[in-house]
Amino acid sequence: MGKILDGRIIAAGIKEEISSFIKDRKEKNLQIPKIASILVGNDGGSIYYQNAQEKVALSLGVNFDKILLEENITEDFLIARINELNLDTEVQGIILQLPLPKHINEKRVTSVIDPDKDIDCLTNESMGRFYKGEKCFLPCTPNSVITLLRSLNMNLRGKNAVVIGRSDIVGKPVFQLLLSEDMTVTVCHSKTENLKEIAKTADVLVVAIGRPNFVDKDFVKKGAIVIDVGTSSFNGKITGDVKFDDVIEIAEYVTPVPGGVGALTTTLLIKNACEALE
Ligand code: NAP
């Protein structure tokens, strides 16, 4: 029987570091980081994430400016607002909640964020730095995957990793981070043939497809580490892509949903804002 790889425990350790960083700055009368989070319209998921970010930030003593804009604002208005935040020396991190309303060009708008304040790695410049291995803020969900793996203190160099999912926000950056750990990485997607056989070669299996309970133990090699990024609403509950009870019978570690990858992402976002200040 495998063990639970619990994101909440790791998040608690990082939160302690952030709290003591803020306490230290307050004692020395130094500037405290401030995050500006923009939400355009009423997307339910975005409202949930923005509220969660605000709660965690404030609980750690980080300033949080929640900017709520009407659904029907123009693209130029939003760009002007981001430019104001770029110039605001009080603000270290800018988060733009996605998706944006359909009449706004997401690529054009995200490209306006100052890369030095781009704490969720949304701009082309940040992504370019990320894929070239240059200094940048790591995108938070992929960073959460790699932080969970590193917490195990195992030597994974040269081991096989399989990522199921190739989205720009999860699958591809996870591939890049695993590769930078010197793992041998295979990326699978909806057109992959023999998915189960490939998944079964993985010492580390990362699943990010958005299909509840899709991966059962037939996909998993004995002793593998399984990281479940999926968060779908299923029978009224947040559910991962991995059939946890089944897979934990043969894996060495499995992340739960909730309480795995998602439990760490907001904390890592706030950590990025602290680093932006430094
Ligand atoms: P996405 O953009 O919809 O991408 C899904 C990927 O999965 C695609 O590459 C797709 O392949 C692949 N896929 C779909 N069905 C498949 C199948 N049957 N077999 C193999 N591959 C399949 O989703 P995403 O944004 O990457 O998100 C993935 C999941 O992670 C979602 O549940 C999302 O809610 C969750 N998520 C969680 C967090 C967090 O912090 N916990 C953050 C972001 C996302 P094709 O490319 O061929 O279509």
Side-chain angles (χ1 to χ4, degrees):
M1 193 76 166
K3 298 180 233 20
I4 297 175
L5 181 48
D6 194 328
R8 286 166 291 207
I9 295 174
I10 301 158
I14 300 171
K15 281 178 182 167
E16 267 179 34
E17 282 171 28
I18 297 174
S19 288
S20 75
F21 170 80
I22 299 291
K23 188 167 165 267
D24 186 55
R25 290 192 72 90
K26 279 189 176 156
E27 278 168 11
K28 292 178 179 153
N29 266 331
L30 293 170
Q31 190 177 3
I32 302 300
K34 180 173 177 178
I35 295 171
S37 167
I38 307 175
L39 172 63
V40 185
N42 305 299
D43 178 77
S46 297
I47 293 170
Y48 172 83
Y49 286 124
Q50 193 188 42
N51 286 337
Q53 288 158 4
E54 181 183 38
K55 196 171 149 204
V56 179
L58 295 179
S59 74
L60 296 172
V62 170
N63 296 322
F64 194 89
D65 190 3
K66 190 156 126 181
I67 301 170
L68 302 174
L69 301 174
E70 297 287 335
E71 173 102 24
N72 60 3
I73 57 158
T74 65
E75 196 169 300
D76 286 343
F77 180 87
L78 180 56
I79 287 175
R81 192 72 184 88
I82 294 171
N83 275 326
E84 275 173 30
L85 296 170
N86 285 341
L87 294 172
D88 186 340
T89 53
E90 292 291 307
V91 172
Q92 281 72 45
I94 300 172
I95 307 169
L96 185 60
Q97 305 292 340
L98 301 178
L100 292 170
K102 288 203 166 35
H103 68 281
I104 296 179
N105 181 333
E106 210 162 276
K107 281 202 171 125
R108 180 169 174 243
V109 171
T110 47
S111 71
V112 175
I113 300 171
D114 178 347
D116 290 337
K117 298 188 178 187
D118 183 17
I119 55 172
D120 203 14
C121 197
L122 290 179
T123 64
N124 288 346
E125 169 143 6
S126 300
M127 280 191 199
R129 287 186 198 171
F130 173 71
Y131 282 105
K132 286 177 91 178
E134 291 172 8
K135 200 167 163 36
C136 67
F137 297 112
L138 296 184
C140 293
T141 302
N143 190 15
S144 179
V145 171
I146 212 75
T147 303
L148 282 158
L149 271 181
R150 285 188 186 141
S151 74
L152 296 173
N153 283 320
M154 287 175 166
N155 182 4
L156 296 171
R157 179 174 284 175
K159 301 283 184 199
N160 286 339
V162 173
V163 183
I164 311 183
R166 58 171 166 182
S167 71
D168 288 340
I169 61 159
V170 189
K172 285 179 195 158
V174 165
F175 162 80
Q176 173 70 10
L177 290 174
L178 293 170
L179 197 61
S180 65
E181 296 286 310
D182 291 330
M183 299 197 72
T184 304
V185 194
T186 306
V187 180
C188 302
H189 46 79
S190 67
K191 312 292 184 296
T192 298
E193 292 179 0
N194 306 320
L195 183 62
K196 278 188 190 176
E197 286 71 18
I198 296 171
K200 260 195 137 122
T201 66
D203 301 300
V204 172
L205 178 64
V206 182
V207 193
I209 56 179
R211 294 184 171 241
N213 300 320
F214 183 86
V215 166
D216 61 19
K217 65 180 170 199
D218 292 346
F219 287 73
V220 180
K221 174 163 122 179
K222 192 164 173 27
I225 301 164
V226 181
I227 311 246
D228 186 357
V229 185
T231 46
S232 306
S233 180
F234 182 64
N235 290 341
K237 283 202 317 201
I238 292 287
T239 306
D241 292 337
V242 173
K243 218 175 189 173
F244 182 87
D245 292 341
D246 194 48
V247 167
I248 202 159
E249 282 178 24
I250 64 162
E252 186 170 0
Y253 286 99
V254 189
T255 61
V257 176
V261 173
L264 255 181
T265 47
T266 302
T267 305
L268 291 169
L269 194 68
I270 292 164
K271 188 173 176 226
N272 278 351
C274 296
E275 282 170 11
L277 186 62
E278 282 193 308

